[in-house]
Amino acid sequence: MHTPSFLSLTLAALASVVSHDAAAADIKNIVIVHGAFADSSGWRNVTEILEKQGFKVALVQNPITSLQDDVDATHRVLDMQDGPSILVGHSYGGVVITEAGNHPNVAGLVYVAAYQPAKGESLITLVTETPGPSREIRATKDDKFLYLDPAAFGPDFAADVPAEDAAFMAKSQVLASKAAFSTPISDPAWRNKKSWAIVATNDRTISPDLERRLAKRAGSKVVEIPSSHAVFLSQPAKVAEVVVTAARETGR
């Protein structure tokens, strides 16, 4: 009978340890940051898909009163996580995670039809250079906040979402302060952390070409999805798949 050598036993033990460590390194925490003109409720389907795969999902409710307020809100949720996290941002949420992503609990970033500003750039900087197709953003009477004209919300934000859902989103949209949109980034987290970017190819809120250019500059792994700006609602399985990929590849 063949007796395993000491070397083969040692290699087998080492392989077992490496396999265990790889499994232990998998990232299980996902923190999602919504964008402007929407809130976290639209991420329910993505959340449920991720949770069925064993992930722990937390959602940030941005006040969008200032960029710092939103970064602080994101940091509070990140502080509550029990380990490394993948930080996901949609639209303006991409600006937030670019700054908030320097938090030590953040292992990787996922930009979903989102802005990826560099140091010194704000959302306004990027929109001024490359405007999106929509021209329906309006200012409130006090000229301090912005909203998307409800009549244009469906066509420009959520064209592939059921009409009744888009209509409700238009009514419940979160207004964004001009201050949040005009504050520049001080230290972009994508310079030091792995990132992924979903380009919504039918986006009318952000130019898809801008999404591609920013992702390329940041060195993000890009996935293109034929969708409106509300890709997290219309294509939740595909969005969740990218988040899962980020968690698995960042954790190894």
Side-chain angles (χ1 to χ4, degrees), residues 23 25-30 53-57 82 84-85 247-248:
D26 283 353
I27 294 171
K28 292 299 183 184
N29 297 316
I30 311 295
Q53 296 188 52
F55 291 93
K56 175 186 172 185
V57 182
D82 57 4
S85 304
R248 290 176 177 165

Side-chain angles (χ1 to χ4, degrees), residues 55-112:
F55 291 93
K56 175 186 172 185
V57 182
L59 299 100
V60 179
Q61 290 285 22
N62 291 324
I64 322 187
T65 44
S66 73
L67 177 58
Q68 190 59 56
D69 286 346
D70 297 332
V71 170
D72 290 345
T74 303
H75 281 176
R76 291 186 196 102
V77 175
L78 286 167
D79 287 340
M80 296 167 64
Q81 306 311 303
D82 57 4
S85 304
I86 295 297
L87 187 58
V88 181
H90 173 251
S91 192
Y92 161 73
V95 180
V96 178
I97 71 170
T98 295
E99 192 74 50
N102 293 297
H103 189 286
N105 274 357
V106 176
L109 306 162
V110 177
Y111 291 87
V112 180

Side-chain angles (χ1 to χ4, degrees), residues 26-244:
D26 283 353
I27 294 171
K28 292 299 183 184
N29 297 316
I30 311 295
V31 175
I32 298 171
V33 181
H34 67 80
F37 316 135
D39 63 16
S40 292
S41 62
W43 285 84
R44 180 171 181 173
N45 287 340
V46 173
T47 296
E48 291 177 349
I49 292 168
L50 292 171
E51 288 178 340
K52 286 178 181 177
Q53 296 188 52
F55 291 93
K56 175 186 172 185
V57 182
L59 299 100
V60 179
Q61 290 285 22
N62 291 324
I64 322 187
T65 44
S66 73
L67 177 58
Q68 190 59 56
D69 286 346
D70 297 332
V71 170
D72 290 345
T74 303
H75 281 176
R76 291 186 196 102
V77 175
L78 286 167
D79 287 340
M80 296 167 64
Q81 306 311 303
D82 57 4
S85 304
I86 295 297
L87 187 58
V88 181
H90 173 251
S91 192
Y92 161 73
V95 180
V96 178
I97 71 170
T98 295
E99 192 74 50
N102 293 297
H103 189 286
N105 274 357
V106 176
L109 306 162
V110 177
Y111 291 87
V112 180
Y115 298 99
Q116 296 178 252
K119 182 177 181 179
E121 292 179 342
S122 66
L123 185 153
I124 291 297
T125 303
L126 299 175
V127 169
T128 301
E129 292 176 353
T130 310
S134 177
R135 298 290 187 274
E136 303 299 333
I137 293 178
R138 309 283 185 251
T140 53
K141 189 174 181 179
D142 61 7
D143 202 36
K144 293 182 179 179
F145 284 78
L146 300 169
Y147 65 96
L148 183 58
D149 186 338
F153 199 98
D156 287 357
F157 193 100
D160 50 1
V161 172
E164 60 272 21
D165 293 337
F168 184 80
M169 290 176 71
K171 293 182 177 72
S172 61
Q173 62 179 292
V174 180
L175 276 59
S177 72
K178 286 187 172 182
F181 280 12
S182 60
T183 302
I185 291 296
S186 62
D187 185 14
W190 51 256
R191 290 183 60 86
N192 302 307
K193 299 186 180 183
K194 292 182 180 180
S195 62
W196 285 255
I198 292 174
V199 173
T201 60
N202 300 324
D203 202 332
R204 287 187 51 79
T205 301
I206 303 177
S207 164
D209 287 339
L210 177 61
E211 293 175 25
R212 293 186 186 98
R213 179 173 66 80
L214 297 179
K216 182 178 179 180
R217 180 180 67 177
S220 304
K221 296 183 179 180
V222 178
V223 176
E224 297 206 357
I225 299 176
S227 170
S228 72
H229 192 56
V231 59
F232 59 96
L233 266 174
S234 63
Q235 301 286 344
K238 291 182 180 179
V239 171
E241 183 179 358
V242 175
V243 175
V244 170

